[in-house]
Amino acid sequence: MKPVHSLLLVLSILAVLPVVAEVEPADQDNAINLNDKDFPWQLVVDRGKILGCVYDNKFYSLGAILILESLPRKCELASDRNGQWQQLSEAELLLLQENVKQQQAVQREATYIGNEPINEQEARLIRYLRNVKKQTEANTTRLRN
């Protein structure tokens, strides 16, 4: 890949990061605190090697994506069988960017009507009406066939 394309890809990802940072696929609230005695550590420690990644004194499982101030990192298994934070490939970065856009669209659809924000009760009612519409359309299609 040409350096210019790599630079453009990084810049496009960086442009999305302020929004992505709000999404955080590997949310720190879902991580396991290393001092948690109730967590079954025997499932993720194999012969002294941690099968996952550690960040900020918290454990993340393999495949977790952590988005912080820098580019997103993915937890992968290193050759020494320890988890290690590695950069996402270009394809993974593009998929992440697309998923973030989809999440933002869903979030916007769920909390706004046009440019007006809606409250929780209105959002619940709209979700209900959309589900009823989908079920009605599915039943109508099934009856036609």
Side-chain angles (χ1 to χ4, degrees), residues 16-49:
V16 175
L17 278 182
V19 178
V20 174
E22 296 173 6
V23 177
E24 287 198 35
D27 192 358
Q28 290 191 6
D29 295 336
N30 294 330
I32 308 297
N33 191 317
L34 293 180
N35 298 325
D36 186 1
K37 304 293 185 209
D38 296 330
F39 184 74
W41 287 104
Q42 65 274 14
L43 298 178
V44 295
V45 177
D46 179 31
R47 292 171 274 170
K49 303 293 183 175

Side-chain angles (χ1 to χ4, degrees), residues 64-123:
I65 297 175
L66 185 65
I67 300 171
L68 298 167
E69 302 82 30
S70 61
L71 288 175
R73 300 283 186 238
K74 180 179 177 182
C75 181
E76 292 187 349
L77 198 60
S79 60
D80 65 355
R81 292 188 353 262
N82 274 324
Q84 183 178 30
W85 292 111
Q86 296 182 354
Q87 287 186 345
L88 274 67
S89 68
E90 290 184 34
E92 290 170 325
L93 282 172
L94 291 173
L95 282 173
L96 177 66
Q97 187 177 16
E98 184 62 33
N99 286 337
V100 167
K101 286 180 184 177
Q102 288 175 357
Q103 275 185 327
Q104 289 171 341
V106 167
Q107 179 68 23
R108 175 122 177 110
E109 182 180 311
T111 57
Y112 280 82
I113 295 178
N115 291 331
E116 296 293 319
I118 58 176
N119 63 35
E120 188 177 318
Q121 291 84 9
E122 292 169 329

Side-chain angles (χ1 to χ4, degrees), residues 56-70:
D56 195 25
N57 202 34
K58 293 191 178 163
F59 170 81
Y60 295 85
S61 61
L62 294 174
I65 297 175
L66 185 65
I67 300 171
L68 298 167
E69 302 82 30
S70 61

